[in-house]
Amino acid sequence: RVTAEEIDTDHWPIRLLASAFGATVITTNYDTIAEIVLANHVNATHCRSGATCPHCRMRSVLSYDCSCETLSQPDEQMWKGSILKLHGSITWSTCLNPCCSDEPCIQSTCDCRPASSPRCSCCGCPCSPVLIPPTNREKRYEQYPELKRMWNGAVNALVEASEIVVFGFSFPESDIPIRQLWSRCLAKNTNLDSLTIIDVCPEKVLSKIEEFTHLKTSPRVHCLNSPADFSRPDWIRQAGATARHS
């Protein structure tokens, strides 16, 4: 429905995504829509210690211990307010030169755009994209040890969250690692107070979640419909009307 080339800021999913600024965003998408929307938020600060831009925070998580990276090094809480991309990104690459000191590191462009011919920022050698299709084979993830920081951040976020919004993700059976991550983390979460599902068929997604997830709490559950014809959903109109009259 939405492409990075033509992002309509009036489109309701884009506005909803922009409202997640400050929250931790976990995504399995390879695209850069979330980065572009959140990095352009009016309150975003960039490329410095304590940056609030979710994309900059994500890059700092990736660049930890990479000798050629100029971004400030992250602390243990850098995952908070970051975009955590669990399957890689079209803007991520890793050096193919085995003699490069940054060879195992994942490099990410700061402008959220994929490079046509990516080169290592350390040695200048060609790079390979970091894209991992959903799989139950852990070896595919072991190929990129830096990616584990994204998963560790997602674990912390899901275990500690008091509110979770699932937006357009239906937990397909093919994506075994995500289902296992969700199930394992929510079984440990003692803070969850609210679970919101936004989908074309939110009740179906909820039923699927209930099949493989054991919650420690009894959160308030909200199933919000995303119209198949791309129109603005009634629940957003009602929320807007309530805000205007409150």
Side-chain angles (χ1 to χ4, degrees):
R1 300 187 184 188
V2 183
T3 67
E5 289 75 26
E6 299 181 9
I7 293 181
D8 182 356
T9 55
D10 289 329
H11 196 25
W12 73 264
I14 295 300
R15 288 182 174 244
L16 191 63
L17 177 58
S19 72
F21 183 83
T24 303
V25 177
I26 303 172
T27 178
T28 60
N29 291 347
Y30 302 128
D31 62 53
T32 59
I33 293 173
E35 290 97 307
I36 294 173
V37 171
L38 294 171
N40 284 281
H41 194 278
V42 65
N43 293 325
T45 58
H46 306 274
C47 300
R48 69 186 192 205
S49 179
T52 60
C53 169
H55 177 65
C56 290
R57 295 178 71 83
M58 175 194 72
R59 293 184 69 224
S60 290
V61 172
L62 283 177
S63 67
Y64 182 73
D65 277 348
C66 291
S67 61
C68 284
E69 184 55 63
T70 58
L71 287 175
S72 59
Q73 299 303 295
D75 57 34
E76 293 182 356
Q77 300 297 309
M78 184 58 72
W79 60 267
K80 290 188 175 181
S82 299
I83 297 173
L84 302 173
K85 307 195 76 168
L86 303 186
H87 292 334
S89 172
I90 59 174
T91 67
W92 292 4
S93 58
T94 186
C95 185
L96 295 175
N97 176 11
C99 297
C100 178
S101 61
D102 271 9
E103 183 266 336
C105 299
I106 295 176
Q107 302 176 23
S108 175
T109 62
C110 66
D111 61 357
C112 308
R113 300 287 180 180
S116 56
S117 300
R119 294 276 173 175
C120 177
S121 61
C122 186
C123 70
C125 288
C127 289
S128 172
V130 180
L131 302 171
I132 301 179
T135 175
N136 62 344
R137 297 179 181 177
E138 291 296 328
K139 290 184 179 180
R140 296 299 300 273
Y141 294 94
E142 292 173 359
Q143 182 181 354
Y144 304 108
E146 302 293 321
L147 190 62
K148 188 170 180 60
R149 293 201 185 95
M150 296 286 108
W151 287 79
N152 289 342
V155 167
N156 290 329
L158 290 172
V159 170
E160 295 182 15
S162 60
E163 179 180 1
I164 295 177
V165 177
V166 179
F167 189 4
F169 187 76
S170 59
F171 296 92
E173 293 184 6
S174 59
D175 204 333
I176 296 174
I178 298 298
R179 291 166 67 103
Q180 291 177 337
L181 173 74
W182 175 276
S183 178
R184 184 173 68 253
C185 293
L186 265 66
K188 299 177 181 178
N189 187 315
T190 59
N191 303 314
L192 189 61
D193 180 63
S194 174
L195 173 62
T196 300
I197 302 170
I198 304 172
D199 197 84
V200 174
C201 299
E203 291 81 8
K204 185 176 180 179
V205 175
L206 176 61
S207 177
K208 191 180 297 186
I209 289 174
E210 291 174 339
E211 289 177 3
F212 65 86
T213 306
H214 174 70
L215 298 177
K216 274 202 167 185
T217 65
S218 299
R220 292 173 288 113
V221 177
H222 311 278
C223 289
L224 304 179
N225 183 64
S226 175
D229 62 0
F230 308 163
S231 61
R232 192 175 180 83
D234 291 337
W235 52 267
I236 282 190
R237 293 196 188 99
Q238 293 168 0
T242 301
R244 286 194 298 271
H245 291 93
S246 62

